[in-house]
């Protein structure tokens, strides 16, 4: 360790291969025109990108673009045990799909790369050595068993588990002895002194006296991988991050980060913690709800603009809520000082409306979701006797809706002929007559149900203008495309 320490202290800068610190000037919130704005979205690839992550990424993207800055994607993959295969690719794919691609990222590269923490271990080792050298960090030889015992004891006494800082006081001799003998130590950061207060750009003045509630945290594990706190500080510094816009769950960690900045002699960035995105009933967005993952929305043909629109309409950051804003409009209208501390409540039921507003058409996914169980007795004209209740019955219903729709689709050439035939001056009456004939051909299905299916397919709405009127005004091409889109989904 001492050799590495020396080497590290000799080179004040990280090796070129690991990027160079980008000069950072004190950047205040958009009021310092000379400051380079660099923000980052730093997910852990422990899961696919969901709508909560998209919101954090989007606010960062908007902030960067508003201030002619750079939007960076950094993958925090230091907990190798929790990596989910495909998650790293999915995160970058989905940012691209959403229309907010990073300027610098693992895929994109950039001057401050690599952009995956697992490839930046040298930088964390260097920072750790500097902290060891100044006495701000120390090696910890406590075994996992001892730490587990401490934890159990604290819980038994109804106390919050915390490390008792035992290895803080080891003498140099004891450390040398243990180093020669035993397994590699972890490195802990000495949480000492008053935590610095900081002015969060959303939550205002904050200070968390971490030292009085926490034991000294591990910053570098014995396997050479850093923990989140060290890696985040080191990377934000070396990547020249000017503003950290992240979820409010990290607000309490910021004092610890500031202590690390102070110990390393680095200027910290500005912080803006974003309030949580919650379900409309105030409950936590759960990743177990399959429908919060972006790939689900993409597969169901929702338009990315609709997602950006809905997540910027359920929180704050704008003078007013307004449906149908495009990304350039979002960038223009966004104002970080308007982000409040209130949680953002997301009502996904409104997404269809946002999607329509963004110019989206229906897919079978939307289409099926436009029907509720209440429609079933009316709609389904036969039932499989074995499928009577609950989900299987609903599945049967969906299958029936799909079946009816497939039958309808066979009529697409007929509709086209009717709508674009030579010299056609098609009246709605004629079209209605033809639609009636179509229904008659669909044995066991009421005409009203056929119209309902067509209305949903053509407009995404269960109620609206008469189907024939819609068909005439949409024209043959659009009718064909909308029907085919449903069919192919
Ligand atoms: N890796 C952390 C997360 O997934 C990032 C926290 C931060 O932005 O500092 O939430």
């Amino acid at each position: 360790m001492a050799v590495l320490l020396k080497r590290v202290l000799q080179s004040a800068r990280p090796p070129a291969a690991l990027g160079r610190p980008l000069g950072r000037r004190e950047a205040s919130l958009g009021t310092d025109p000379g400051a380079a704005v660099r923000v980052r979205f730093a997910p852990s690839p422990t899961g696919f990108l969901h709508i909560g992550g998209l919101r954090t990424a989007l606010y960062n993207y908007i902030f960067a673009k508003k201030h002619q800055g750079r939007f960076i994607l950094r993958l925090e993959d230091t907990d190798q045990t929790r990596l989910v295969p495909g998650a790293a690719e999915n995160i970058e794919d989905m940012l691209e799909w959403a229309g907010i691609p990073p300027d610098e990222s693992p895929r994109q590269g950039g001057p401050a790369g690599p952009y995956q923490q697992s490839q930046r271990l040298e930088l964390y080792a260097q920072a750790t050595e500097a902290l060891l050298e100044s006495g701000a960090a120390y090696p910890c030889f406590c075994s996992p068993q001892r730490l587990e015992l401490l934890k159990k004891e604290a819980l038994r006494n109804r106390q919050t588990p915390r490390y008792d800082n035992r290895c803080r006081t080891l003498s140099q001799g004891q450390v040398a002895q243990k180093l020669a003998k035993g397994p590699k130590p972890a490195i802990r950061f000495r949480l000492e002194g008053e935590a610095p207060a900081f002015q969060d750009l959303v939550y205002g003045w904050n200070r968390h006296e971490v030292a009085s509630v926490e034991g000294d945290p591990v910053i570098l594990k014995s396997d050479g991988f850093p923990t989140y706190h060290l890696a985040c500080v080191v990377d934000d510094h070396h990547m020249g991050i000017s503003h950290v816009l992240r979820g409010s769950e990290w607000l309490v960690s910021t004092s610890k980060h500031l202590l690390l900045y102070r110990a390393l002699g680095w200027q910290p960035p500005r912080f803006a913690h974003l309030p949580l995105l919650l379900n409309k009933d105030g409950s936590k967005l759960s990743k177990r709800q399959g429908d919060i993952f972006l790939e689900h929305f993409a597969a169901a043909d929702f338009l990315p603009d609709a997602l950006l629109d809905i997540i910027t309409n359920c929180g704050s950051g704008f003078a007013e809520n307004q449906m149908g804003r495009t990304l350039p409009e979002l960038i223009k209208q966004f104002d970080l000082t308007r982000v409040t501390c209130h949680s953002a409540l997301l009502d996904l039921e409104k997404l269809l409306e946002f999607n329509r507003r963004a110019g989206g058409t229906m897919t079978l996914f939307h289409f099926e979701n436009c029907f509720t169980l209440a429609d079933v007795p009316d709609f389904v004209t036969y039932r499989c006797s074995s499928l009577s209740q609950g989900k299987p019955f609903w599945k049967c219903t969906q299958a029936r809706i799909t079946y009816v729709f497939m039958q309808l689709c066979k009529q697409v050439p007929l509709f086209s002929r009717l709508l674009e035939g030579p010299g056609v001056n098609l009246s709605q009456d004629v079209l209605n007559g033809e639609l009636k004939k179509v229904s008659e051909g669909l044995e066991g299905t009421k005409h009203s149900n056929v119209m309902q299916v067509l209305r949903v397919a053509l407009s995404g709405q269960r109620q609206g203008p008469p189907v024939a009127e819609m068909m005439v005004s949409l024209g043959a091409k659009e009718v064909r495309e909308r029907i085919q889109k449903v069919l192919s989904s």
Side-chain angles (χ1 to χ4, degrees), residues 40 42-44 76 228 232 246 249-250:
R40 86 307 193 268
S44 301
E76 303 210 324
Y228 159 70
C232 166
R246 62 181 169 197
E249 67 271 29
W250 300 107

Side-chain angles (χ1 to χ4, degrees), residues 112-408:
Y115 294 89
Q116 274 144 297
Q117 290 188 327
S118 57
Q119 293 174 24
R120 303 171 63 85
L121 300 186
E122 180 72 17
L123 287 175
Y124 313 128
Q126 288 177 12
T128 305
E129 288 299 334
L131 293 171
L132 282 169
E133 172 71 357
S134 67
Y138 60 89
C140 171
F141 299 90
C142 291
S143 66
Q145 291 81 349
R146 174 169 194 273
L147 298 175
E148 192 52 35
L149 268 178
L150 273 182
K151 196 165 151 186
K152 279 197 180 136
E153 203 172 291
L155 291 174
R156 211 178 20 248
N157 298 328
R158 293 169 197 274
Q159 285 168 350
T160 313
R162 56 189 279 189
Y163 178 58
D164 59 359
N165 300 346
R166 183 198 217 186
C167 291
R168 242 194 206 197
T169 48
L170 291 177
S171 67
Q172 276 192 349
Q174 285 171 311
V175 169
Q177 213 175 33
K178 283 180 186 285
L179 276 178
K181 205 169 66 183
K184 278 187 86 177
I187 308 296
R188 288 185 187 269
F189 177 59
R190 205 181 273 267
L191 279 186
E192 256 173 355
E194 205 176 72
F198 66 99
Q199 191 171 23
D200 188 85
L201 295 170
V202 174
Y203 285 80
W205 282 103
N206 261 271
R207 190 211 320 259
H208 297 272
E209 282 304 346
V210 269
S212 59
V213 288
E214 286 183 41
D216 292 339
V218 169
I219 50 170
L220 197 75
K221 293 178 278 183
S222 54
D223 61 4
F225 276 81
T227 56
Y228 159 70
H229 302 293
L230 177 74
C232 166
V233 165
V234 168
D235 287 342
D236 284 344
H237 170 73
H238 285 301
M239 291 182 170
I241 299 301
S242 62
H243 295 74
V244 170
L245 272 60
R246 62 181 169 197
S248 58
E249 67 271 29
W250 300 107
L251 188 63
V252 289
S253 301
T254 306
S255 291
K256 200 186 299 176
H257 296 178
L258 289 170
L259 285 170
L260 277 164
Y261 278 104
R262 188 162 72 189
L264 287 160
W266 294 340
Q267 174 77 40
R270 303 295 308 268
F271 292 93
H273 287 87
L274 305 170
L276 292 179
L277 184 63
L278 302 173
N279 292 316
K280 74 169 174 190
D281 63 359
S283 61
K284 231 176 129 185
L285 276 192
S286 162
K287 292 182 198 167
R288 278 185 292 275
Q289 285 171 274
D291 61 2
I292 63 167
F293 290 99
L294 257 64
E295 58 167 10
H296 157 90
F297 297 109
D301 268 355
F302 276 102
L303 293 177
D305 282 357
L307 281 175
L308 304 188
D309 199 10
I310 196 169
I311 55 181
T312 46
N313 263 291
C314 62
S316 45
F318 299 88
E320 57 188 356
N321 278 344
Q322 180 194 320
M323 228 175 153
R325 271 184 291 231
T326 60
L327 190 51
E329 284 164 347
L330 288 173
I331 294 167
K332 199 158 163 224
Q333 294 177 25
F334 179 69
D335 179 354
L336 188 57
T337 63
R338 286 188 183 273
V339 177
T340 65
C341 311
H342 305 296
S343 304
L345 301 183
L346 178 69
D347 183 359
L348 273 180
E349 277 167 28
K350 295 206 178 120
L351 185 56
L352 277 176
E353 213 176 318
F354 278 90
N355 198 51
R356 223 185 29 262
R357 189 69 185 244
T361 51
M362 284 297 99
T363 69
L364 195 54
F365 164 80
H366 311 121
F367 177 69
E368 287 168 349
N369 280 308
C370 285
F371 294 88
T372 64
L373 275 174
D375 301 315
V376 170
D378 185 20
F379 191 82
V380 180
T381 52
Y382 76 92
R383 284 184 197 187
C384 304
S385 53
S386 58
L387 301 173
S388 56
Q389 290 289 316
K391 267 226 153 113
F393 175 59
W394 178 226
K395 261 198 186 137
C396 161
T397 310
Q398 287 184 355
R400 177 71 184 149
I401 294 173
T402 309
Y403 165 77
V404 171
F405 193 74
M406 303 278 276
Q407 299 306 310
L408 271 176

